[in-house]
C-alpha cells in the first residue's frame, strides 16, 4: 500500500480527532479538496485507527445516482457496518410507506428521526466515526441530517467528517460548512515538489531521473494522477533503470488523469471491461447480486471477472459490497458509453431490477438517467405506466421529485380513456403538491376531474385539490366542487361520506364550527350506513375537534374515546388515531385533569415517535409544552416547545407554540421573546387563524412597552375574532378586563365580564369558574371574589393566574386600607412569581405595592445561568444523574417520560450552564460534585 506521502501533518490532525473521539469527545469536520487530492485516503487511514481504538465506523459514499433519493448513503452505511441488524433497511421501509393524496405527511422526516436515534444509541455503546464521502453528490436530506448531527457532537462521542470537492457550490452545503468550526475545516492542496519526488521514488523503487520528474510535474501535485501516471508507465514497460536512477523511456505517456485511467482499463479483458461498464450503471458502490441482474450473468460467472478487476486496482472489496477504487475510474467507464447507449442500458437495468422485485427507489435510480434523452429515449411508456400503477404511491411519498418526471413521461400522449390514465394523473397531481408546485398540481387535478370516473380516485383528487386551495389561502373554493362530487352519479354512500368529511374539514379550517359539526354528522350517518371505517373515524374526529374548538372539553371526551376506538381498528387511520390522542391530552388539560393530561401527552409523544410520524410528534410535544406551561413547569415547557420549532407542523400549531414560549420569556424578561413573537406572527399570517396564546403574548409585549391602549386593543380584537372558539378566547378574558379598566373603558370591561361569567356558568371545571370570579372581582374591586378565584386556580393547578388573582386581591384590600390583608396576598403572589422565575411580574408587583407602603423584605436571589449547579432545573439535575450512570438519551427519555429531542435540549442547557463540552464532562463533574458533597 502506498504511504500517504506529503499528508503526514494532515493525517496527524485527523488522528488527533480520532483520539479525542476514543476519549469520548465529539466533533464535526470537513476535509475539502479537488478530486484525487487524498481526501478519501486520509479518512480511510483514520477509519482504520478508529477501529483499532474500538470505535464504530460508518462509511457513507454519495454519487450522482443516489442524489435524488433521501438518506440512501447513510442508510447503506448503517447496513454495511451493522449487517446483522439491517437497521438501514428497516428505516428505508419508512420511506416507502404509502400516504394518501392531498395529505402532506412527510415520510423523510420520521426516517431522519429514526436515523438520529439509531446513531445516538450507537454512540451509547461505543464512540462512532461517521464519514460521508463525496458530499457534493449528497441528497438534501442527508446534508440536513449531517447538520443536525454536527450541532449535537458536543453531547455524544460522535466524530462526523464529510469529504467534499470545492465545486459545485450548493446552498445547503454552504450552510453545513458554516456549522463546522473553521479550525475543523481541513483543505488539501497539491503536493510540493519535494513531496512529489518522494512519492515518485517510493513508487518506482529508486531515484527518479530528470525526464521522469518533468513528466511527474505535469500531475500538478495531485497524488491520484501521479500514481495513475506511474502505474501506466510501469504497465507499458516505459520505466527502466539508467545509471543510478529510474528513467522514463520513449513511448506514449498519458496526457491527463483521464488518459491514465483509460490506460489502466485497457489492460482489462473485454469481458471484464463490459461487466465493469454494467457496474458503473449502479454507482460507485454496488452489490454483486444487482450486478448479476443488470449484466444478465450468473454470480458464479462474475467471480473470475471481478477478481481480475480487483487485482487490476479497478475495484476494491468494501465489506458486503464492491466499490470502484476511485469515483473517477467509475466515471471513465460510464462516460465511455455513448449517451443513447447509456440511457438504453439504464432502462434495461431498471426493468431487470423491477422484474427481480427490487425496491422502487433502486429501479427509479436506473430509470431517471434513461429519461435524459429527448422524449425519454427508449423508455417504453406502457411498461413504465404498468410499473407506476403498482409503485407510484410509494414513490410519490418517498421521492416526489423523481415521481414527477416518471409519471409525466408515462401519461404524455396517453389517451384520457386509457386504463391507468386516471390513476397516474391522480398520483402526478399529488407529487406536484408535495413538491410545493401548488398551481401546477391544481391544474393537473382540475384537468383530471373531467376524465376520472372511479370513485376512490375522485376522492383522492378532491383531497389534493382541497389541500392545494388551503395552501393558497382559498379553502372555501373547494366547497361547491365537493358538493357537486358528493351528488354525482355513481358515487356510493362510502365515497359520499368521505367527500362530506373533506367538506366538514374545510368548514372547520374556516372557523365555522357549527356548520362543520352539521356536515360531519351527515358524514357519520352516511359512513355508518356504508360501513366505511375511514369515513366514520374521519367524521368522529371532525365532530370532536369542533366540540373542542367551542370549549366543550367534557362533551368531547366520550366522542374522543369512540373515535380512537374506531381509528385503532383501521390501518389507514393511524394518523387520525395519533391526532385524536393528542387532542385527548389537550381535552384532559382543559378539564384541569393535568396528571392524566400530561401522561396522555407523553403517551402520544411515544406513539408518534414509534410510528415515525414526525408531524404528530411535533403536535404532541406542542400540547405537552402547553400543559407544562399551565402547571408552572416553565423550564420543561420551553424545552418541549423549543425542540419542535422548525419541524413539520401546521402554521397554526407553531403559532400557538411561539405564543406560549413568548409569554414565558416575556414574564421572565428574556430577549428571545422578540424572536418567538416575530416567527409567531409569520405563522399566524400563514394559518389565517387567531391564536389565543399569541394574542396574549402580543398584548403582554405592548404592555411591557408601556403602551396599555395598544395592549388592550390587541385583546379586544382577538376576542372579537374568537367568538366561536371559546377554548382559544377563555385565556384572554382576565387580562382584557384588567386592561380595559386600566385604559378607562368600563363598558368593554363589563362586556368581557359577562362573556367570562357565561363561560363559567356553563362549566364546572375549576379554571373556568375561576375566570368568571376573577373577571367580576376585577370589575367590582371585590377581594373576596378574587381570593375565591385564586383558590379555584389552585384547585385547577394553574399557578400563574392564581398569582395574578392574589395580586389583584392585594390591590383591592390596599385600596380599602387593609394593609395587613394586602401584605398577605402580596406575599403569596410574590412567592409564586419567584417560583416561576417571572422577573417582570416580580418587579411590577413590588412597584405596585410600594405605592401603598408595602415592601416584601429581603430580595429573593434569582437563578442565573452562570451559577453552576444551582442554575439547573429539577429535570436537568435528574438528567445529570442519569448521564453519570451511563444512560443514553433514549434511555433517559423513557425514564423521565420525555421525548429524545427534549432530553437533547436539556443536555445542551446543562452543558451551557456548567460551561462543559460533552456528556463525559457532565459525568466527571457529577462525580466531583458528589465527592465534594460527601
Amino acid at each position: 500500500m502506498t504511504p500517504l506521502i506529503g499528508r503526514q501533518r494532515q493525517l496527524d490532525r485527523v488522528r488527533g480527532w480520532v483520539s479525542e473521539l476514543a476519549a469520548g469527545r465529539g466533533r464535526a469536520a470537513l476535509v475539502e479538496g479537488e478530486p484525487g487530492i487524498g481526501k478519501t485516503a486520509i479518512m480511510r487511514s483514520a477509519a482504520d485507527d478508529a477501529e483499532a481504538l474500538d470505535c464504530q465506523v460508518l462509511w457513507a459514499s454519495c454519487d450522482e445516482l443516489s442524489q435524488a433519493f433521501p438518506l440512501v448513503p447513510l442508510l447503506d452505511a448503517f447496513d454495511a457496518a451493522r449487517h446483522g441488524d439491517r437497521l438501514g433497511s428497516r428505516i428505508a421501509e419508512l420511506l416507502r410507506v404509502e400516504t394518501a393524496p392531498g395529505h402532506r405527511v412527510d415520510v423523510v422526516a420520521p426516517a431522519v428521526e429514526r436515523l438520529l436515534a439509531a446513531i445516538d444509541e450507537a454512540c451509547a455503546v461505543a464512540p462512532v466515526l461517521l464519514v460521508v464521502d463525496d458530499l457534493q453528490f449528497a441528497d438534501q436530506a442527508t446534508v440536513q441530517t449531517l447538520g443536525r448531527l454536527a450541532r449535537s457532537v458536543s453531547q455524544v462521542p460522535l466524530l462526523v467528517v464529510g469529504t467534499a470537492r470545492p465545486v459545485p457550490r450548493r446552498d445547503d452545503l454552504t450552510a453545513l460548512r458554516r456549522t463546522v468550526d473553521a479550525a475543523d475545516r481541513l483543505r488539501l492542496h497539491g503536493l510540493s515538489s519535494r513531496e512529489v519526488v518522494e512519492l515518485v521514488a517510493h513508487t518506482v523503487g529508486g531515484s527518479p531521473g530528470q525526464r521522469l520528474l518533468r513528466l511527474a510535474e505535469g500531475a500538478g501535485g495531485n497524488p491520484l494522477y501521479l500514481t495513475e501516471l506511474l502505474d501506466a508507465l510501469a504497465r507499458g514497460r516505459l520505466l527502466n533503470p539508467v545509471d543510478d536512477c529510474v528513467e522514463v523511456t520513449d513511448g506514449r505517456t498519458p496526457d491527463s488523469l483521464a488518459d491514465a485511467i483509460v490506460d489502466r482499463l485497457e489492460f482489462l479483458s473485454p469481458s471484464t471491461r463490459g461487466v465493469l461498464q454494467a457496474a458503473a450503471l449502479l454507482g460507485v458502490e454496488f452489490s454483486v447480486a444487482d450486478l448479476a441482474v443488470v449484466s444478465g450473468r450468473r454470480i458464479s460467472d462474475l467471480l473470475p471477472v471481478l477478481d481480475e478487476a480487483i487485482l487490476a486496482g479497478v475495484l476494491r472489496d468494501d465489506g458486503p459490497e464492491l466499490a470502484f477504487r476511485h469515483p473517477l475510474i467509475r466515471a471513465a467507464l460510464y462516460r465511455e458509453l455513448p449517451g443513447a447507449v447509456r440511457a438504453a442500458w439504464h432502462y434495461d437495468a431498471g426493468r431487470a431490477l423491477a422484474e427481480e422485485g427490487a425496491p422502487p427507489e433502486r429501479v427509479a435510480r436506473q430509470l431517471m438517467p434513461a429519461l435524459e434523452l429527448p422524449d425519454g429515449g427508449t423508455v417504453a411508456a406502457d411498461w413504465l405506466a404498468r410499473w407506476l400503477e403498482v409503485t407510484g404511491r410509494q414513490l410519490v411519498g418517498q421521492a416526489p421529485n423523481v415521481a414527477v418526471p416518471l409519471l409525466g413521461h408515462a401519461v404524455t400522449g396517453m389517451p384520457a380513456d386509457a386504463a391507468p390514465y386516471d390513476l397516474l394523473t391522480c398520483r402526478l397531481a399529488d407529487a406536484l403538491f408535495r413538491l410545493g408546485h401548488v398551481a401546477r398540481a391544481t391544474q393537473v387535478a382540475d384537468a383530471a376531474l373531467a376524465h376520472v370516473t372511479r370513485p376512490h380516485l375522485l376522492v383522492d383528487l378532491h383531497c389534493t385539490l382541497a389541500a392545494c386551495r388551503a395552501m393558497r389561502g382559498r379553502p372555501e373554493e373547494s366547497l361547491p366542487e365537493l358538493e357537486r362530487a358528493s351528488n354525482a352519479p355513481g358515487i356510493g354512500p362510502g365515497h359520499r361520506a368521505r367527500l362530506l368529511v373533506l367538506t366538514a374539514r374545510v368548514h372547520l379550517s374556516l372557523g365555522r364550527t357549527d356548520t362543520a359539526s352539521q356536515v360531519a354528522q351527515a358524514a357519520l350517518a352516511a359512513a355508518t350506513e356504508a360501513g366505511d371505517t375511514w369515513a366514520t373515524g374521519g367524521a368522529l374526529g371532525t365532530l370532536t375537534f369542533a366540540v373542542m374548538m367551542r370549549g366543550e372539553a367534557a362533551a368531547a371526551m366520550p366522542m374522543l374515546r369512540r373515535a380512537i376506538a374506531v381509528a385503532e381498528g383501521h390501518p389507514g387511520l393511524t394518523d387520525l388515531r395519533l391526532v385524536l390522542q393528542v387532542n385527548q391530552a389537550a381535552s384532559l388539560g382543559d378539564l384541569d385533569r393535568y396528571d392524566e393530561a400530561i401522561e396522555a401527552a407523553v403517551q402520544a409523544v411515544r406513539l408518534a415517535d414509534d410510528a415515525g410520524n414526525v408531524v404528530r410528534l411535533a403536535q404532541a410535544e406542542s400540547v405537552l409544552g402547553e400543559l407544562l406551561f399551565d402547571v408552572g413547569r416553565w423550564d420543561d415547557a420551553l424545552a418541549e416547545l423549543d425542540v419542535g420549532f422548525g419541524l413539520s407542523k401546521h402554521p397554526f400549531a407553531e403559532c400557538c407554540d411561539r405564543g406560549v414560549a413568548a409569554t414565558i420569556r416575556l414574564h421572565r424578561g428574556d430577549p428571545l421573546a422578540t424572536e418567538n413573537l416575530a416567527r409567531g406572527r409569520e405563522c399566524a399570517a400563514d394559518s389565517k387563524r387567531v391564536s389565543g396564546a399569541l394574542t396574549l403574548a402580543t398584548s403582554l409585549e405592548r404592555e411591557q412597552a408601556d403602551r396599555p391602549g395598544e395592549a388592550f386593543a390587541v385583546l379586544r380584537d382577538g376576542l372579537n375574532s374568537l367568538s366561536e372558539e371559546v377554548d382559544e378566547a377563555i385565556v384572554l378574558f382576565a387580562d382584557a378586563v384588567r386592561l380595559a379598566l386600566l385604559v378607562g373603558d368600563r363598558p368593554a370591561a363589563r362586556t368581557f365580564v359577562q362573556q367570562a361569567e357565561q363561560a363559567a356558568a356553563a362549566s364546572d371545571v375549576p379554571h373556568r369558574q375561576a375566570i368568571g370570579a376573577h373577571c367580576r372581582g376585577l370589575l367590582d374591586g371585590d377581594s373576596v371574589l378574587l381570593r375565591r378565584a385564586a383558590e379555584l386556580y389552585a384547585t385547577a393547578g394553574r399557578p400563574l393566574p392564581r398569582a395574578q388573582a392574589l395580586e389583584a386581591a392585594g390591590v383591592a384590600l390596599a385600596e380599602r386600607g387593609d394593609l395587613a390583608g394586602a401584605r398577605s396576598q402580596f406575599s403569596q403572589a410574590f412567592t409564586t412569581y419567584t417560583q416561576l422565575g417571572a422577573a417582570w411580574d416580580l418587579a411590577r408587583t413590588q412597584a405596585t405595592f410600594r405605592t401603598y407602603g408595602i415592601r416584601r423584605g429581603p430580595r429573593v436571589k434569582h437563578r442565573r445561568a452562570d451559577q453552576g449547579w444551582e442554575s439547573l432545573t429539577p429535570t436537568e439535575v435528574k438528567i445529570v444523574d442519569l448521564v453519570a450512570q451511563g444512560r443514553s438519551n433514549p434511555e433517559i427519555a423513557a425514564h423521565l417520560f420525555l421525548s429524545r429531542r427534549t432530553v437533547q435540549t436539556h443536555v445542551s442547557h446543562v452543558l451551557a450552564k456548567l460551561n462543559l463540552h460533552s456528556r463525559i464532562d457532565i459525568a466527571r463533574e457529577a462525580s466531583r460534585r458528589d465527592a465534594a458533597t460527601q
Side-chain angles (χ1 to χ4, degrees):
M1 178 179 177
T2 303
L4 290 172
I5 293 171
R7 297 293 182 228
Q8 193 58 51
R9 180 176 55 84
Q10 295 91 339
L11 185 58
D12 288 343
R13 186 170 165 191
V14 176
R15 282 173 171 165
W17 299 343
V18 173
S19 297
E20 291 182 1
L21 172 67
R25 292 187 292 279
R27 182 188 301 268
L30 286 174
V31 180
E32 302 171 307
E34 66 181 57
I37 205 68
K39 306 182 295 296
T40 302
I42 285 177
M43 289 315 304
R44 288 208 175 275
S45 180
D48 292 339
D49 291 344
E51 289 180 334
L53 293 171
D54 295 324
C55 298
Q56 303 173 81
V57 176
L58 301 175
W59 189 285
S61 296
C62 308
D63 60 43
E64 310 97 309
L65 293 178
S66 66
Q67 195 166 5
F69 298 88
L71 304 175
V72 166
L74 296 177
L75 299 178
D76 288 347
F78 247 101
D79 278 350
R82 301 154 69 95
H83 24 261
D85 183 4
R86 308 302 293 175
L87 176 67
S89 298
R90 294 204 305 275
I91 296 175
E93 287 300 320
L94 284 174
L95 298 169
R96 302 183 190 124
V97 171
E98 293 190 3
T99 55
H103 295 274
R104 215 172 191 178
V105 177
D106 187 352
V107 296
V108 176
V112 170
E113 295 303 316
R114 291 290 180 88
L115 188 57
L116 292 172
I119 293 174
D120 194 33
E121 290 168 4
C123 290
V125 175
V128 173
L129 167 61
L130 170 61
V131 180
V132 184
D133 203 12
D134 277 328
L135 259 177
Q136 69 278 356
F137 294 131
D139 62 277
Q140 191 173 43
T142 292
V143 174
Q144 291 172 348
T145 301
L146 292 181
R148 291 182 62 179
L149 288 171
R151 290 188 287 273
S152 70
V153 291
S154 63
Q155 302 176 28
V156 289
L158 172 66
L159 173 57
V160 181
V161 184
T163 74
R165 302 175 190 174
V167 290
R169 298 185 182 276
R170 288 168 42 185
D171 290 343
D172 54 347
L173 289 178
T174 300
L176 175 63
R177 195 174 188 275
R178 285 197 295 265
T179 305
V180 177
D181 291 340
D184 295 326
R185 297 198 291 261
L186 181 60
R187 183 66 179 268
L188 300 184
H189 300 282
L191 301 179
S192 67
S193 297
R194 180 184 58 79
E195 291 163 345
V196 167
V197 173
E198 185 179 354
L199 178 55
V200 172
H202 179 276
T203 304
V204 302
S207 178
Q210 291 303 311
R211 291 182 60 197
L212 178 56
L213 286 178
R214 282 196 299 273
L215 193 61
E217 288 175 0
N222 185 297
L224 177 66
Y225 185 9
L226 198 54
T227 54
E228 288 295 328
L229 172 66
L230 295 172
D231 283 353
L233 295 173
R235 285 192 301 272
R237 303 182 187 278
L238 300 179
L239 293 176
N240 293 293
V242 176
D243 297 329
D244 59 348
C245 66
V246 177
E247 189 59 276
V248 61
T249 60
D250 291 335
R252 180 184 176 277
T253 58
D255 294 326
S256 65
L257 176 56
D259 288 340
I261 290 172
V262 169
D263 177 88
R264 175 185 292 276
L265 298 176
E266 285 178 352
F267 282 81
L268 298 170
S269 65
S271 175
T272 300
R273 195 182 185 99
V275 168
L276 289 176
Q277 286 179 323
L281 299 173
L282 298 170
V284 174
E285 296 179 348
F286 56 90
S287 72
V288 177
D290 281 357
L291 180 57
V293 172
V294 171
S295 65
R297 301 190 184 202
R298 293 178 300 180
I299 291 179
S300 59
D301 295 334
L302 287 174
L303 294 180
V305 173
L306 296 175
D307 284 341
E308 180 187 345
I310 291 172
L311 288 173
V314 176
L315 295 181
R316 58 179 168 79
D317 191 344
D318 199 29
E321 296 189 329
L322 293 177
F324 286 94
R325 189 171 64 84
H326 195 280
L328 294 177
I329 296 176
R330 179 252 169 191
L333 283 161
Y334 187 74
R335 289 168 187 156
E336 274 188 347
L337 298 169
V341 174
R342 193 166 59 220
W345 206 350
H346 270 299
Y347 172 62
D348 289 342
R351 287 195 67 162
L353 288 169
E355 289 167 3
E356 289 294 318
E361 69 273 13
R362 275 167 53 199
V363 176
R365 283 173 69 175
Q366 298 301 315
L367 296 179
M368 286 297 290
L371 294 180
E372 290 178 359
L373 294 179
D375 300 323
T378 60
V379 177
D382 55 345
W383 175 85
L384 182 62
R386 291 194 300 273
W387 180 72
L388 288 170
E389 278 189 273
V390 178
T391 61
R393 181 169 281 186
Q394 285 185 5
L395 205 57
V396 166
Q398 180 181 1
N401 57 322
V402 173
V404 165
L406 291 175
L407 287 163
H409 181 75
V411 300
T412 299
M414 181 185 293
D417 57 355
Y421 178 83
D422 53 357
L423 173 64
L424 298 184
T425 50
C426 177
R427 299 284 179 266
L428 179 57
D430 186 25
L432 288 165
F433 169 75
R434 290 168 191 270
L435 288 174
H437 304 325
V438 177
R440 176 66 178 142
T442 304
Q443 181 183 8
V444 171
D446 271 333
L449 281 177
H451 307 286
V452 171
T453 56
R454 287 186 277 182
H456 70 283
L457 294 179
L458 190 65
V459 173
D460 282 355
L461 280 172
H462 278 294
C463 279
T464 299
L465 280 168
C468 287
R469 286 169 180 146
M471 290 288 291
R472 300 175 79 177
R474 300 200 295 268
E476 67 281 355
E477 291 181 4
S478 294
L479 292 174
E481 290 190 355
L482 286 168
E483 184 177 359
R484 282 195 298 272
S486 297
N487 298 315
I491 295 294
H495 294 104
R496 180 174 292 109
R498 294 187 177 206
L499 291 166
L500 287 172
V501 168
L502 293 176
T503 303
R505 288 175 178 173
V506 172
H507 284 298
L508 200 65
S509 71
L510 294 169
R512 303 170 184 171
T513 55
D514 292 340
T515 304
S517 295
Q518 294 170 5
V519 178
Q521 287 284 6
L524 180 60
T528 303
E529 177 188 348
D532 189 310
T533 307
W534 188 96
T536 300
L540 284 170
T542 306
L543 282 169
T544 302
F545 304 148
V547 171
M548 290 176 64
M549 285 173 66
R550 290 197 294 266
E552 301 169 10
M557 290 307 298
M559 298 176 67
L560 271 168
R561 286 192 290 269
R562 181 184 172 193
I564 289 173
V566 171
E568 283 176 340
H570 193 287
L573 292 174
T574 303
D575 186 65
L576 176 63
R577 177 191 173 193
L578 289 170
V579 175
L580 293 167
Q581 288 178 318
V582 170
N583 281 275
Q584 184 179 45
S587 294
L588 287 166
D590 288 340
L591 296 171
D592 296 335
R593 293 158 58 178
Y594 279 103
D595 289 343
E596 297 174 71
I598 291 173
E599 182 180 353
V602 168
Q603 183 184 20
V605 167
R606 287 186 179 171
L607 287 170
D609 201 13
D610 289 343
N613 191 328
V614 74
V615 175
R616 304 310 172 203
L617 176 61
Q619 291 174 350
E621 287 176 338
S622 297
V623 169
L624 182 55
E626 292 181 30
L627 294 171
L628 293 169
F629 164 72
D630 287 346
V631 300
R633 291 170 55 184
W634 285 6
D635 292 303
D636 290 342
L638 284 174
E640 289 289 347
L641 296 169
D642 284 351
V643 296
F645 293 161
L647 295 177
S648 299
K649 191 179 293 188
H650 190 280
F652 180 72
E654 184 160 359
C655 174
C656 295
D657 288 357
R658 299 280 181 172
V660 172
T663 298
I664 294 173
R665 290 186 162 119
L666 285 165
H667 280 291
R668 288 184 163 180
D670 185 339
L672 282 176
T674 302
E675 179 184 330
N676 292 147
L677 280 169
R679 178 58 186 150
R681 288 169 186 140
E682 291 176 11
C683 295
D686 292 339
S687 71
K688 302 191 176 176
R689 284 184 61 190
V690 176
S691 159
L694 185 64
T695 300
L696 191 62
T698 303
S699 173
L700 184 58
E701 178 200 37
R702 305 287 168 81
E703 184 177 1
Q704 290 185 1
D706 198 25
R707 300 203 295 269
E710 293 180 24
F712 168 65
V714 168
L715 293 178
R716 180 196 61 212
D717 296 343
L719 285 168
N720 289 337
S721 300
L722 293 169
S723 57
E724 288 192 47
E725 298 186 57
V726 178
D727 193 46
E728 287 290 316
I730 197 76
V731 298
L732 307 180
F733 282 126
D735 279 302
V737 172
R738 178 179 60 81
L739 287 169
L741 294 172
L742 183 64
V743 301
D745 193 343
R746 289 190 69 85
R750 282 194 294 271
T751 299
F752 295 142
V753 168
Q754 291 170 359
Q755 292 173 350
E757 288 178 331
Q758 287 174 1
S763 173
D764 58 0
V765 177
H767 85 269
R768 291 284 181 88
Q769 295 181 331
I771 289 171
H774 191 170
C775 291
R776 176 57 67 181
L778 287 170
L779 181 65
D780 297 344
D782 189 332
S783 62
V784 175
L785 277 176
L786 290 167
R787 280 182 289 184
R788 172 60 179 160
E791 291 171 1
L792 288 167
Y793 284 131
T795 301
R798 299 193 179 202
L800 177 62
R802 173 179 178 271
Q804 292 169 333
L806 288 169
E807 179 186 349
V811 171
L813 289 168
E815 284 290 321
R816 295 209 309 268
D818 184 354
L819 298 185
R823 183 177 287 106
S824 173
Q825 306 304 305
F826 165 50
S827 296
Q828 294 181 63
F830 192 92
T831 298
T832 300
Y833 287 141
T834 301
Q835 292 169 345
L836 294 172
W840 179 75
D841 300 87
L842 287 168
R844 184 201 65 242
T845 304
Q846 286 179 313
T848 299
F849 281 89
R850 207 174 281 128
T851 62
Y852 299 104
I854 300 173
R855 297 183 182 276
R856 166 66 182 167
R859 184 183 298 273
V860 176
K861 188 175 183 180
H862 305 306
R863 291 183 318 203
R864 289 173 48 85
D866 58 0
Q867 285 182 300
W869 292 102
E870 295 177 358
S871 70
L872 301 186
T873 68
T875 300
E876 289 164 357
V877 171
K878 293 176 185 175
I879 287 175
V880 166
D881 292 336
L882 291 168
V883 167
Q885 295 171 24
R887 304 285 190 92
S888 67
N889 281 4
E891 289 173 328
I892 295 172
H895 186 80
L896 297 181
F897 301 101
L898 295 172
S899 69
R900 184 184 66 85
R901 292 198 302 278
T902 303
V903 171
Q904 286 180 330
T905 299
H906 276 306
V907 170
S908 296
H909 290 169
V910 170
L911 293 170
K913 291 175 181 178
L914 301 183
N915 194 26
L916 302 176
H917 300 287
S918 72
R919 287 169 57 96
I920 292 200
D921 293 336
I922 291 176
R924 289 170 180 161
E925 288 298 312
S927 298
R928 292 193 190 106
R929 176 201 63 182
D930 294 342
T933 302
Q934 293 172 1

